Structures are given as C-alpha cells and as structure tokens.
Amino acid sequence: MTESNKTFQSEKGIHTNFLEKMTYGDYLQLDTLLTSQKRLSDHHDEMLFIIIHQVSELWLKLIIHETKAAVSAIKRDDLQASFKMLARLSKIQSQIIQAWDVLSTMTPAEYMEFRDKLGNASGFQSYQYRLVEFVLGYKTPFILKIYQKNPEVHAVLQEAYYAPGLYDVAIQALARKGFDINEDVLNRDFSKTYEMDTSVEQAWLEVYQDVHTHWELYQLAEKLVDIEDWFQQWRFRHMKTVERIIGHKTGTGGSSGVGYLKKVLDHYFFPELWEIRTKL
C-alpha cells in the first residue's frame, strides 16, 4: 500500500458517499464553469486567451462586490468596516495584474493564428470593467451605447453611472466630519467624471497634517491611494501586454489599442490625494 493510500485510509471521517449530498463541484457549479471555454479555432493558445479573460472577469465581479459594500459602509460612517473591503480590493487587483504576466507568454505569431476568429469582440466591451470605472468615479457616456443590446446589463451600468462613486462618498464623509467642502462638489452631477476641487484638497491636507486627530479619515485616504496605485499598475501591464502582442494595431473592438490604453494612464480617480503629497 502506498503512503498516500495509508494517509487516506487513516482519515476515518472523510465523506465518500455523495449520492444524495452536495459535492464541492456541485457547490461551485464546476460542470458549467469548466465547460465554458469554447474555442473558435484549433490553436493551442486560444485556451490560454479565454481562461485569462474569464478569470479576470471573476476577479472584476469580486472587486465590484467589495467596492459596493465599502461604499455602503462609508455612507453609514462605518469606516472600519470599509477598510477590510478596500484592503481586500487591493489584493484582488494584484491578482489581476499577475494575469497579464501569464498572457504575455503568448507571442504575436501565436495570437495572429486565431485573432480573426474574435470578430469585433474585445475586452473594451467588458461591462464589468466599465462598472468598476463607474463605481470609482470615471464616467464616460459613450460607453453606455455599447450595452444597449442587453437591457439588463445596460440598466445596471446606467444605475452606477448616475450614482455617487467611491470617492464621492469619501468626500461626503469629510463633510460629515466637519470639513468645509464646496456645496457644488457635494451636490454635483454624479454622471460627470470627478474633477479636482480646492476645498477637497484642503480637507485632505488637514487630515494628513493632523493624522492622530483624523486617524480614520487618514486610513481611508491611504486605502484609496492603494487602490489607485494598483489600478494604474493594472492599466500599465494591460497596455504593455497589448503592445507586446499586437503592437500598435487597432483593437478588435475598434479602439486605437495601445494608443487608447496610454491615454487612460493619465487619469486619476482621486486627484487631490496625489496632489497633496507635493504640498505636505
């Protein structure tokens, strides 16, 4: 008898009869999950391409889940609860960044073997990625048009488009703590991408200049900086992976590809939190 068999037999409590019980596979719906990789070509690397993007979508789903919960916690001034979710969000982002390292093992020649099979399908159309941008406060109206084909998805995105983002509720928390925030910022049109405001900058500056008095707000600010830092790293790895594999070709979805990805690298979700670092 092998050592592995001896070890297994020594575990007397292990369940083996699942004729009427839920299994691990049942709980995770693995039959559905593991049969969802439908290649359109016979090329070996298309499996890699599909799985990387599917895994990334699952991580994006969790990012949305955690961010929405953090927004709710901040709204009710339970900042401590939000810190756990925001910290987890940063760890999730590190996983998505590493996914690009795996995808970059595919060469341009290999990708060209099946790229034409994708038609106009593109990561640019990922509604979950757009939802992440919306909940972080980056609102782009033309994006909604892409999803008119799916009323349910369009409704979810539209709701997030008009709702306050993570930074908006953080700024509202500053106001509730007594900081003098411009009313135009507090009552702004949340469907517009946030733009830097001097009153918000001054409030965060005061937080950083008196950390002990404003400890929770300081922690919140640093959690937001973590998220933006990781998000920018994700954007950079995305851009470099695309450049490595297709160069400066137009994306399958019609975008300028690397050119578009380079432009969004310049956008900040939480601009004042970066600006004050120069002024401290």
Side-chain angles (χ1 to χ4, degrees):
M1 183 181 294
T2 65
E3 288 300 318
S4 60
N5 283 337
K6 288 179 182 178
T7 301
F8 182 80
Q9 289 192 2
S10 69
E11 295 292 328
K12 303 298 184 181
I14 292 178
H15 296 284
T16 57
N17 183 355
F18 287 95
L19 294 176
E20 297 181 359
K21 297 177 183 177
M22 179 179 68
T23 65
Y24 171 82
D26 294 334
Y27 176 66
L28 295 178
Q29 299 186 52
L30 291 183
D31 286 345
T32 300
L33 185 65
L34 298 179
T35 56
S36 296
Q37 294 73 46
K38 310 293 185 183
R39 288 189 293 171
L40 299 179
S41 74
D42 294 326
H43 196 275
H44 175 81
D45 282 8
E46 190 181 356
M47 182 65 76
L48 164 68
F49 188 81
I50 293 171
I51 288 177
I52 286 294
H53 286 84
Q54 287 182 339
V55 168
S56 294
E57 288 293 333
L58 287 173
W59 282 127
L60 287 173
K61 183 172 184 176
L62 188 55
I63 285 176
I64 294 163
H65 177 72
E66 298 295 341
T67 306
K68 285 184 174 180
V71 165
S72 296
I74 295 169
K75 280 183 175 179
R76 62 176 185 270
D77 288 323
D78 190 358
L79 298 188
Q80 288 295 328
S82 76
F83 297 156
K84 174 72 173 181
M85 300 151 193
L86 296 176
R88 181 178 293 161
L89 201 161
S90 293
K91 294 298 184 182
I92 297 167
Q93 289 174 301
S94 71
Q95 296 296 310
I96 298 183
I97 291 168
Q98 290 180 8
W100 294 121
D101 296 335
V102 181
L103 187 60
S104 66
T105 63
M106 183 173 62
T107 68
E110 289 163 343
Y111 182 47
M112 288 305 116
E113 290 290 326
F114 63 87
R115 187 180 189 240
D116 64 323
K117 299 292 185 182
L118 303 180
N120 294 129
S122 166
F124 189 85
Q125 298 146 15
S126 168
Y127 81 86
Q128 289 200 125
Y129 175 75
R130 297 306 172 185
L131 193 53
V132 169
E133 286 191 328
F134 285 2
V135 296
L136 291 181
Y138 184 53
K139 309 292 180 73
T140 44
F142 73 93
I143 290 297
L144 290 174
K145 296 179 182 178
I146 297 173
Y147 308 98
Q148 289 176 338
K149 177 182 178 181
N150 189 326
E152 185 176 342
V153 168
H154 188 268
V156 170
L157 282 165
Q158 193 167 40
E159 180 181 0
Y161 183 74
Y162 289 104
L166 177 61
Y167 196 44
D168 291 307
V169 298
I171 292 171
Q172 290 167 1
L174 283 171
R176 289 194 298 273
K177 293 293 185 179
F179 289 94
D180 185 17
I181 304 297
N182 188 340
E183 287 295 326
D184 289 339
V185 173
L186 297 174
N187 300 313
R188 75 183 193 87
D189 180 354
F190 297 119
S191 69
K192 307 294 184 184
T193 296
Y194 178 80
E195 294 184 2
M196 192 168 168
D197 181 83
T198 54
S199 69
V200 174
E201 180 182 342
Q202 181 59 36
W204 286 126
L205 192 58
E206 290 178 29
V207 168
Y208 274 77
Q209 288 172 334
D210 190 354
V211 170
H212 297 292
T213 301
H214 309 296
W215 179 247
E216 282 198 332
L217 289 171
Y218 171 70
Q219 286 183 288
L220 175 59
E222 284 298 291
K223 290 289 188 293
L224 295 179
V225 170
D226 285 342
I227 290 168
E228 177 130 53
D229 190 346
W230 282 108
F231 200 91
Q232 289 296 77
Q233 291 185 53
W234 183 90
R235 280 173 161 172
F236 180 78
R237 288 299 299 132
H238 183 189
M239 182 270 291
K240 294 305 292 183
T241 303
V242 171
E243 185 176 22
R244 176 173 177 157
I245 296 175
I246 69 168
H248 290 266
K249 291 185 179 71
T250 300
T252 50
S255 75
S256 59
V258 170
Y260 172 80
L261 296 174
K262 283 185 176 180
K263 288 177 184 176
V264 296
L265 279 173
D266 293 330
H267 174 261
Y268 285 91
F269 295 107
F270 320 129
E272 292 89 355
L273 291 176
W274 296 93
E275 186 66 24
I276 62 169
R277 279 158 161 73
T278 307
K279 299 181 179 181
L280 283 171

